[in-house]
Amino acid sequence: MGQVVALDSLLHSRQVWQGRAAPVPATTQPTGWPALDAALPTGGWPEHAMTEILLPADGVGELQLVLPTLARLTREGRPVVVISPPYVPYVAGWEARGVVMSGVDIVQADEQDVLWAAEQCLRSASCAAVLAWPVHADDRSLRRLQVAADTGKALAFVFRDRRHAVQASPAALRLELESTPAWQVRVRKCRGGNPPVGAVPLASGWS
């Protein structure tokens, strides 16, 4: 039997190569929610990637979550596309939050065309962000959106029912929004680090 050697001694004598994780670069896409930015490894939305937002129901504040980003992008003259939202966006409310509505295109697509429309918009490299509400989305179709977001250098936001939380997701960031007992978000998956253990409160407001 070979001699048992302590790992510490091998590392100290440099007989074992010790890899180190590359640092995760900070994002240039803050969420606008300081508590959420502080909880994410990159300090905001993952760049050129898909964020999946899981919901207990439609209309629980999911648009409030992304409005700071939409306001920032449209003020910079960068187009945003909203595909098949469950409710017609309230223009006055969005403008009150700083969104320049002339920079927002709302697309009403048939249920079977939502994913296709989102992919085409993302790949076009003409959109800064694309929001979509697909009713049915399998792993393959979500991976196509992830690749399309990377190709078009855009932010992709996909809103889905939280029952899909049990399924694996190719999203770079996966959030679950909760409306009770308080408005908060749980980070289920994040690129570049471990998700925080607890929920991130959002009631403190956005910047």
Side-chain angles (χ1 to χ4, degrees), residues 98-122:
V99 179
V100 180
M101 292 305 295
S102 60
V104 178
D105 288 318
I106 301 173
V107 177
Q108 295 295 345
D110 293 334
E111 182 178 308
Q112 67 271 18
D113 294 329
V114 172
L115 290 167
W116 178 86
E119 182 180 349
Q120 301 311 305
C121 291
L122 289 167

Side-chain angles (χ1 to χ4, degrees), residues 52 138-139 142-143 160 164-171 174 189:
E52 183 181 14
D138 57 17
D139 181 77
L142 291 176
R143 287 186 184 280
R160 306 179 74 205
H164 299 294
V166 297
Q167 303 169 357
S169 172
R174 198 180 206 192
K189 173 187 175 183

